Amino acid sequence: MTAKPTPLTNHPTGVALLRDPALNRSTAFTEAEREKFGLVGLLPDRVEDEEVRLQRVLVQLDYKPTDLERYIFLSSLRDNDETLYFKALMSDPARFLPLVYTPTVGEACQKFDQILRRPAGVYLSITRKGQLRDLLRNWPHKDVRFIVVTDGERILGLGDLGINGMGIPIGKLALYTACAGVPPKVTLPITLDVGTNNEALIKHPLYLGLRQPRITGAEYDEFIDEFIMAVQDVFPRACIQFEDFALPHAAPILARYRDKVCCFNDDIQGTAAVALAGLIAASKIVDGALKDQRFLFLGAGTAATGIAALLAKALEQDGLSAAEAKRRCWLFDIGGLIQSKREGLTLFQQPFAHEHAPLDNFTAAIEVLKPTAIIGVSGVGKAFDRTVIETMAKLNERPIIFPYSNPTSHSECTAEEAYRWTDGRAVFASGSPFQPVYLGDKTFLPSQGNNVYIFPAVGMAIYATEAARVTDEMFIVAARALAEQVTPAQIATGLIYPPQSMILDVSLNVARAVARYIFDHGLAGVPTPDDLAAYMAEKVYRPAYRPLA
Ligand code: NAD
């Protein structure tokens, strides 16, 4: 018997088709497709639909003994069948997000060189300085719209992980798709290899990055500059998200490029927006508006000054004068209250250095300033002790208590402490997740201020509108749109953010609001559509097997 010739198609055929993660449908290829693409005999005869294939994923996942094994399994699934990977993630975000992103991605990054299967994304090494455009051109997709880039220096709370940090851009971009429908083929994870100061990595036989200390100073700045310009040339419609750069680089890089190219920093802007959303929702619970609150931050670093700056802008939008808006925000750091006589304040702290006598005790600051909300971004575990929390409870019927420091051991207090020491009156959200708290016959559901509520949605809006710049106002719109989606029933249980199980719908609502703002303010790169909802819906990636032409 002579074999039937495989017909000409635009796609790879046979084994090559089964190895293409964007096209592979494995046992879901139909009989006709198997005939057409030379697959007969390369697969078991039974044709399955995607639901059965998803069932097999869940069975295999259950065989894995640890979350790191589940991370590895899901990464391999993505290398094999991208549609099924995203179908799994989107079928149960609350279960899958912690496996493909925090907390599991932390351990995955620490061991990235050991668990590597198939490399993904683009690695740009300082040794290739002068050639970055050519390297970017090696990426097979030409219409890249979203780049997440890190230099691996401050990966989560884990410090310098060199190019092992690649797990972060990969994971973050997966969330753009899974949580807000940004099509995976327009996303590109990039890691810049400028060396590492992590001695253990340099000595590890499996480490894949440069075995030299980090490049700094002018050489580092020139490299970043070349990278930014190369992206503009090769992927002119791409938005760049800076991720997990160390503090001395993060703010200056953002400041240098935010008005020149389409870019943002999630650690700074995303964090501020998610905190702002929480404070807006919390204000509803305490029966007031945002502009009725007074805020005292423990910590005056990147997170605190970023949140305070966005908060002050939002308060101004709500009708306060610029001076009054800033006066609602007070910062207290390791040196005590930030006040106008303090020396050595940074540019970001100065707007919140109000006239006041020095104070070096946080509880005393609460007694004097009478905040309605305290926000912990100090990284100091247990800093909101019983005295702090009871003082807030004495001054406020519903004290807003947000310990935002990560990880859990650095949280300024636990959910249980906040609820117990306020007799259940606290309005609580934290940076790290906490289990429900039971006090008497009442159940409290602590909220987690996770950036995942913001950046995928803002990303979707930028992708859909082709905005040329990312502004703070877009993040304020996102924060308000997020806060609006917390229902009265959820508020009654103490929730400040919508449940993660609803993340796609929530993100698409936020994305629409941000897109509306972008179009209304003439910031879009495409004409305003007649029907924004239909336009946005059409842009959303939905993982489903589509027939191959
Ligand atoms: P940072 O180093 O820039 O700032 C830390 C600040 O805390 C400094 O102002 C320091 O003076 C102050 N501080 C240190 N010890 C103190 C003490 N004993 N009393 C009072 N103040 C003290 O760090 P950062 O980037 O601003 O991050 C701070 C924390 O916020 C981290 O734990 C981080 O995990 C958390 N964070 C959470 C989120 C989120 O939940 N989405 C996002 C970003 C940062």
Side-chain angles (χ1 to χ4, degrees), residues 319-332:
L320 299 189
S321 70
E324 179 56 18
K326 290 187 191 89
R327 273 194 73 82
R328 292 296 176 87
C329 305
W330 291 80
L331 311 178
F332 188 104

Side-chain angles (χ1 to χ4, degrees), residues 290-297 308-309 311-313 315-316 320-331 337-340 349-357 365 368-373:
L290 187 72
K291 68 177 165 55
D292 300 324
Q293 313 305 324
R294 292 177 301 279
F295 307 93
L296 175 59
F297 291 78
L311 180 55
K313 267 194 187 176
L315 289 168
E316 249 187 279
L320 299 189
S321 70
E324 179 56 18
K326 290 187 191 89
R327 273 194 73 82
R328 292 296 176 87
C329 305
W330 291 80
L331 311 178
L337 187 68
I338 301 279
Q339 37 79 20
S340 51
Q349 292 168 332
Q350 283 163 16
F352 307 102
H354 314 299
E355 266 186 40
H356 202 283
V368 178
L369 300 170
K370 301 190 172 31
T372 57

